Amino acid sequence: GDHAILRKLVKNRHWVDPGRLMRGNQPSPAQLAELKAQGVKTIINLRGGDGSFALLEREACEKLGLKLVDLIVTSREVPSRERVLNAKAMFETIEYPAFMHCKSGADRAGLMSVLYAHFVLGQPIAQAKQQLAWKYLHAKIGKTGVLDYMFDRYLTDAEPKGISFIDWVKSDAYDPAAMKASFRAGWWGTLLTEKILRRE
């Protein structure tokens, strides 16, 4: 149910910032040891939860001396203003190198990678948004496409007016509930993300 067998074969790991921040899917305890051996100091868990995967991760990080940071995000919601600001603050304070993961390393890891590329690397949103792509197994065509839609709304509604992304997020114009309500996912994309890939 958690696709652990598939993750033994496909790690979906990619450097967002070479030598500093890597993204990927849920690591096993053995894979956490591999990351530790590669120099990783902080693990960012975007899933949260109290399932076996979370218990194993906490135990392994404690044993290995890895700092574990939980910052829960979802793949079918426009992130709240607080979540975006918390992500920015986290990137400014954690110890690097870091490894950031969700379940599949596709959607939530993609969202957070866009924010890192923009806030830390200084990439414009149009460039940073490339972190949400099929090569990372992100499916824009289903309900997870609401993440792309959020950034598209900024590029359409705010950037042409010279408003920075962070100022837009802090403004009343940033309305996650309204954006989610106006987003429409295709039926076959929804079938892919909800029934076949079973994204969290």
Side-chain angles (χ1 to χ4, degrees):
D2 194 46
H3 294 165
I5 290 294
L6 294 179
R7 292 196 301 269
K8 288 183 72 68
L9 303 174
V10 181
K11 295 179 182 179
N12 197 21
R13 291 185 191 167
H14 306 272
W15 284 105
V16 181
D17 187 1
R20 187 170 166 86
L21 180 68
M22 182 190 297
R23 59 182 286 183
N25 53 18
Q26 175 72 53
S28 67
Q31 290 168 348
L32 286 167
E34 293 173 4
L35 290 166
K36 167 79 173 182
Q38 293 170 17
V40 168
K41 296 179 179 179
T42 302
I43 304 296
I44 304 168
N45 170 29
L46 305 176
R47 300 181 72 184
D50 294 314
S52 59
F53 65 87
L55 294 171
L56 289 168
E57 182 170 39
R58 283 197 291 270
E59 290 177 357
C61 284
E62 184 176 349
K63 179 180 178 181
L64 293 165
L66 290 166
K67 174 69 175 177
L68 179 61
V69 176
D70 292 312
L71 198 157
I72 302 170
V73 293
T74 59
S75 63
R76 295 170 186 77
E77 305 279 342
V78 174
S80 68
R81 179 178 295 108
E82 180 182 26
R83 279 180 172 160
V84 175
L85 297 178
N86 285 347
K88 183 175 185 295
M90 179 192 70
F91 290 136
E92 292 170 351
T93 56
I94 61 170
E95 186 176 11
Y96 294 92
F99 175 76
M100 177 171 65
H101 76 85
C102 52
K103 177 183 176 181
S104 302
D107 307 311
R108 290 166 291 182
L111 165 67
M112 292 291 286
S113 295
V114 174
L115 296 180
Y116 179 91
H118 179 65
F119 290 139
V120 180
L121 299 180
Q123 295 178 5
I125 291 297
Q127 178 184 356
K129 190 173 169 287
Q130 295 173 17
Q131 292 291 333
L132 285 167
W134 180 247
K135 71 176 181 178
Y136 305 115
L137 305 183
H138 169 67
K140 180 179 180 178
I141 55 177
K143 290 184 178 181
T144 50
V146 74
L147 303 177
D148 306 76
Y149 182 68
M150 174 192 76
F151 294 114
D152 289 341
R153 286 290 298 271
Y154 166 73
L155 293 171
T156 300
D157 300 346
E159 187 183 58
K161 299 175 182 176
I163 301 171
S164 70
F165 178 73
I166 192 65
D167 285 343
W168 178 66
V169 169
K170 291 178 178 179
S171 74
D172 292 338
Y174 187 75
D175 189 337
M179 280 189 275
K180 182 180 179 182
S182 63
F183 172 71
R184 295 290 179 268
W187 69 266
W188 64 283
T190 298
L191 176 66
L192 174 67
T193 59
E194 307 305 305
K195 301 298 183 181
I196 300 173
L197 298 177
R198 291 191 293 171
R199 291 289 164 78
E200 282 185 346

